[in-house]
Amino acid sequence: MPIHDKVSRIVKQIPPSGIRRFFDIASQNSSVISLGVGEPDFSTPPSINKAGIEALEQGMTHYTSNRGLPELIAEIASYLSKRFALDYRHDEILVTNGSSEGIDLALRMLINPGDEVLVVEPSYVPYGPIVRLCGGVPVPVPTSLEHEFKLTVEDLERVITPQTKALIFCYPNNPTGAIMDREDWEPIARFIEERDLIVISDEIYAELTYEKEHVSIASFACVKDRVILVSGLSKAFAMTGWRVGYVAASEPLLSEMLKIHQYTALCAPTISQIAAVEALQNGGGPCQAMVRQYDERRRLAVSAFAEMGLPCNVPAGAFYVFPRVTDLGMDGQAFAEALLTEEEVAVVPGCAFGETGKGHIRCSYATSIEELREAFRRMARFVERKKQALQPMR
């Protein structure tokens, strides 16, 4: 039997990440400007690096408790309370290897074979594949540009079934930059309670909002015990490589996630946890400075797509824009491939984020203002050529 036939059928059926493909192509050519991968272009603030270095020099290189350093758990609890008015006890918090592990733990803890999980689309790429790896069935919940990519009860009503067990979403949203206001969440919270659902709320971009503050679904008392809040320090504090995330959830749910974490990850990196304490204690200033620069880039991106004539939601959070390209007679995949070939600009086709995103592209503005200006100049040239090609022959 060929060795590849030994691989799990479920794993074989999962496609590689659509984001990584374009990133890998861009990384092989220095003349390509990449607006692809969602990672801050800023370095980790110096005081956070210093805390990690000092921990290393002091020999703090051993395991922590499975749950995480007590001082970090205390800082996470304080942070959630002060920033977002969310009160969690220390036994309701688990430190993870990035927010990605938190998502994996939550889904593995919840899903029995055949359970349906509603996945709000466009969605962060791993949600559907992880649901499948757990033996569950991901059910897309489409949102639209016309409704600013906000989730509504009507969207949920169209797809919920007796097999639906959970709902997963990311707000502020990757890839659209959409956010949900308190009035947007109110009917959703009532729906979740009435339909007896568990919610996985990915709030990794909570600090990156513009003009409005982030509102968590967990701030509604009627559903707080049903919400598994997943977040981390990667985006807000430019700590992607440190791999520190956390989960906050009611103790009956969290204790079951902790069991999986004990057997599969043991604990998050000790040095990274110590650096995370410094980030939560003193990283607010650098975080706000980064947000101000993201906001400047956001405005540039929105203006650039308006000038190109490509419909685009004004992002209110994260660091992405998600314009629609179908007016050019092409879908996001064709647009991204042609743009990379003709103008050496890498973007991510919207289909990477689910069928709902098929006619869009995702552009990250987590890059320098100079590179953004050049990328949009090249893109505008490309768009104009495509528009000219659509003109009828005279």
Side-chain angles (χ1 to χ4, degrees), residues 295-348:
D295 192 18
E296 180 185 1
R297 300 168 186 184
R298 175 183 74 110
R299 294 171 187 274
L300 171 65
V302 170
S303 175
F305 284 113
E307 290 178 7
M308 291 181 219
L310 296 182
C312 181
N313 182 54
V314 177
F319 40 56
Y320 309 106
V321 281
F322 200 63
R324 188 167 61 200
V325 299
T326 50
D327 290 351
L328 300 175
M330 55 203 323
D331 62 16
Q333 182 78 28
F335 183 102
E337 290 178 354
L339 179 66
L340 182 59
T341 299
E342 297 179 28
E343 292 290 350
E344 296 186 311
V345 176
V347 299
V348 181

Side-chain angles (χ1 to χ4, degrees), residues 12-210:
K12 283 183 182 179
Q13 292 167 3
I14 293 174
S17 168
I19 296 177
R20 301 306 305 185
R21 174 173 172 256
F22 278 81
F23 172 74
D24 291 342
I25 293 171
S27 65
Q28 295 168 12
N29 185 343
S30 60
S31 62
V32 170
I33 299 175
S34 178
L35 306 182
V37 175
E39 178 176 28
D41 61 313
F42 301 103
S43 297
T44 305
S47 71
I48 300 172
N49 288 334
K50 183 180 178 182
I53 292 168
E54 290 179 351
L56 182 64
E57 291 175 339
Q58 292 167 18
M60 302 175 76
T61 56
H62 302 280
Y63 294 132
T64 69
S65 73
N66 297 133
R67 191 181 292 275
L69 281 173
E71 54 265 46
L72 177 55
I73 290 171
E75 286 298 335
I76 292 168
S78 176
Y79 167 78
L80 290 173
S81 177
K82 291 176 181 177
R83 284 291 291 121
F84 307 113
L86 299 173
D87 293 323
Y88 286 97
R89 303 191 309 266
H90 291 191
D91 65 347
E92 296 177 317
I93 295 170
L94 169 64
V95 180
T96 60
N97 288 275
S99 62
S100 297
E101 191 207 355
I103 293 164
D104 182 49
L105 292 176
L107 288 168
R108 280 203 275 174
M109 179 272 297
L110 285 172
I111 294 175
N112 293 313
D115 285 343
E116 292 180 355
V117 178
L118 304 184
V119 180
V120 178
E121 288 190 355
S123 72
Y124 177 47
V125 173
Y127 298 157
I130 296 174
V131 171
R132 292 189 185 94
L133 285 169
C134 296
V137 180
V139 178
V141 184
T143 61
S144 68
L145 173 62
E146 288 71 23
H147 292 94
E148 300 178 310
F149 297 107
K150 291 175 182 280
L151 177 65
T152 68
V153 168
E154 291 73 24
D155 296 329
L156 296 171
E157 288 279 14
R158 280 191 284 269
V159 295
I160 194 168
T161 76
Q163 286 71 49
T164 303
K165 189 173 194 177
L167 166 66
I168 184 168
F169 48 66
C170 174
Y171 285 102
N173 183 259
N174 173 13
T176 68
I179 66 169
M180 295 279 282
D181 299 323
R182 180 160 292 277
E183 55 267 30
D184 299 320
W185 280 133
E186 287 173 353
I188 302 293
R190 289 194 297 270
F191 181 91
I192 290 165
E193 182 182 26
E194 292 167 0
R195 297 304 185 98
D196 191 27
L197 298 178
I198 298 295
V199 175
I200 302 169
S201 181
D202 182 350
E203 303 185 19
I204 190 67
Y205 295 98
E207 284 286 0
L208 306 185
T209 59
Y210 316 99

Side-chain angles (χ1 to χ4, degrees), residues 248-328:
S250 60
E251 195 279 334
L253 297 177
L254 195 87
S255 63
E256 300 300 322
M257 283 184 272
L258 178 58
K259 288 194 297 189
I260 305 170
H261 177 72
Q262 288 171 333
Y263 288 122
T264 58
L266 301 181
C267 66
T270 302
I271 296 165
S272 299
Q273 290 190 59
I274 293 166
V277 171
E278 169 64 22
L280 292 174
Q281 288 179 343
N282 300 306
C287 173
Q288 292 168 11
M290 285 186 271
V291 171
R292 287 192 292 270
Q293 292 194 52
Y294 287 139
D295 192 18
E296 180 185 1
R297 300 168 186 184
R298 175 183 74 110
R299 294 171 187 274
L300 171 65
V302 170
S303 175
F305 284 113
E307 290 178 7
M308 291 181 219
L310 296 182
C312 181
N313 182 54
V314 177
F319 40 56
Y320 309 106
V321 281
F322 200 63
R324 188 167 61 200
V325 299
T326 50
D327 290 351
L328 300 175

